[in-house]
Amino acid sequence: MSKKEKISPAKRKRLIRENLRSYSLLLPNLILFLAFSVYPVLWTFKYVFYRYGGYGSSVPKFVGFDNLIRVFGDDIYWKAVKNTFVYAGAKILFVIPIAFFLALLLNKKRRGNGFFQSVIFMPTVMSSAVMGLVFYLLFNVYNGQINRYLLDWNIISQPVNWLGKQHAMKTLVITAIWGGIGNYMVYFIAGLQQISQDTLESARIDGANRLQTLWYITIPMLGPILKIILMLSITAAFSDMNSVMVLTEGGPTNATMVMALYGYQFFFPISAGTVITPQYGYGAAVSTVSAVIAGLITLGYLFISRKLDDIY
């Protein structure tokens, strides 16, 4: 048997001092993570089992699984779930191809490409509330610029209610596309720049045209970054509510209500919602069920992507 290496007292003190220094640097981030991430989750989960109207109201009353039972029988909530899937699916379906196309156009070193990259990326750093307000002014029924241009060009004969029940979800998707393509475009450009030019040149020498090079070389080599982009787009789409709240507040008649906003309004009532007074207990139950649904979608995506990696 080999003897364990003995550590001298001086070396042990030095290791302890180095570890303490490392942990002291991590401690502020750990405290913030526990205070603003872990504690709110535990607080929310606790009130799933209580009827509670917030501070200043009656004392929290334990009701067991009543809040969860109410969620599963809430037609408005399940309509919000359906709207969330429609919104997320449409956003991902359009944002990722457009971002990829723009990345292909702006990846090459040409004069002005840096300027266009900055302009397209700019909405990403803009507040969602401000972005929603801008699109609200653009798509306003009577004073919006969109209707004004369409009327001037004789494309429509009367103003279109872009925020009405028929077109509100389309307007939200357009807003999401405008606000999201810049971020994913940057990821795609980073992935394209990692592809070896020697590989692309070898494909051209072998007789591959641009479309074949794109399909058989570029896209497969973008697989790792594409998985990250899909993961980010899924989580962002299922948690997005700021632009919805500013543009439509979930209306009209809950036509654009999404899971995140429906849970939010039970903590902070909004004008177009059905909530009059805060209902923290039920809001916690709605948020918990929504988190489980989003988590299952995420796990499903990770499982499928792992299986595809094993196959290919």
Side-chain angles (χ1 to χ4, degrees):
M1 296 178 64
S2 60
K3 296 182 179 179
K4 294 182 178 179
E5 182 183 356
K6 292 184 178 180
I7 301 176
S8 63
K11 186 176 182 180
R12 183 180 292 108
K13 289 181 180 179
R14 181 170 58 82
L15 290 174
I16 293 174
R17 187 165 54 251
E18 290 177 355
N19 289 334
L20 286 176
R21 188 181 299 114
S22 301
Y23 289 133
S24 64
L25 293 173
L26 293 173
L27 186 60
N29 288 332
L30 180 61
I31 293 174
L32 292 174
F33 175 73
L34 293 174
F36 296 103
S37 295
V38 176
Y39 174 73
V41 171
L42 296 177
W43 184 92
T44 301
F45 185 74
K46 169 189 174 182
Y47 281 102
V48 169
F49 306 100
Y50 287 84
R51 181 180 293 115
Y52 183 44
Y55 300 106
S57 62
S58 59
V59 178
K61 179 182 178 182
F62 182 78
V63 293
F65 293 96
D66 287 359
N67 287 326
L68 291 173
I69 294 172
R70 179 183 168 188
V71 171
F72 287 103
D74 190 340
D75 293 336
I76 298 178
Y77 173 71
W78 293 107
K79 184 177 182 180
V81 172
K82 178 183 175 182
N83 291 338
T84 303
F85 276 88
V86 172
Y87 174 76
K91 178 181 177 180
I92 295 170
L93 181 64
F94 287 101
V95 165
I96 293 179
I98 294 174
F100 178 61
F101 176 73
L102 291 174
L104 290 176
L105 288 179
L106 301 177
N107 180 47
K108 297 181 179 180
K109 294 182 180 180
R110 295 174 181 170
R111 181 177 297 179
N113 275 6
F115 169 77
F116 288 112
Q117 288 178 13
S118 301
V119 170
I120 296 172
F121 182 76
M122 195 176 298
T124 304
V125 299
M126 185 181 295
S127 167
S128 299
V130 173
M131 185 171 61
L133 181 59
V134 168
F135 273 81
Y136 176 80
L137 296 175
L138 286 174
F139 285 97
N140 190 275
V141 181
Y142 300 105
N143 300 320
Q145 294 297 320
I146 301 298
N147 276 337
R148 181 175 299 176
Y149 289 137
L150 293 177
L151 288 170
D152 291 342
W153 297 337
N154 295 321
I155 297 176
I156 58 176
S157 58
Q158 58 183 0
V160 176
N161 186 5
W162 296 106
L163 300 177
K165 187 174 183 179
Q166 185 177 359
H167 301 290
M169 185 59 73
K170 302 172 188 174
T171 304
L172 290 176
V173 172
I174 293 173
T175 305
I177 293 172
W178 185 80
I181 56 175
N183 189 31
Y184 303 129
M185 179 195 68
V186 170
Y187 281 108
F188 275 123
I189 290 177
L192 290 171
Q193 292 177 352
Q194 296 300 317
I195 298 176
S196 172
Q197 294 299 316
D198 294 337
T199 304
L200 300 177
E201 187 64 28
S202 299
R204 295 189 190 100
I205 294 173
D206 290 338
N209 56 36
R210 290 186 178 181
L211 184 60
Q212 290 172 329
T213 302
L214 176 66
W215 185 257
Y216 293 106
I217 304 296
T218 303
I219 293 178
M221 295 189 73
L222 285 175
I225 195 70
L226 182 59
K227 289 196 298 185
I228 295 174
I229 291 173
L230 282 171
M231 185 75 259
L232 293 174
S233 61
I234 290 172
T235 55
F238 275 88
S239 61
D240 189 11
M241 74 167 191
N242 291 332
S243 57
V244 180
M245 183 165 57
V246 174
L247 276 172
T248 64
E249 295 184 344
T253 62
N254 299 306
T256 58
M257 182 64 70
V258 292
M259 293 190 301
L261 181 58
Y262 190 66
Y264 173 88
Q265 69 175 356
F266 288 98
F267 294 96
F268 308 98
I270 57 178
S271 60
T274 57
V275 181
I276 299 176
T277 58
Q279 301 177 34
Y280 283 16
Y282 187 60
V286 168
S287 301
T288 300
V289 174
S290 299
V292 171
I293 293 174
L296 290 175
I297 296 297
T298 303
L299 290 175
Y301 167 74
L302 293 175
F303 176 79
I304 293 172
S305 64
R306 190 176 296 114
K307 287 296 182 181
L308 291 176
D309 289 339
D310 295 338
I311 294 173
Y312 297 104

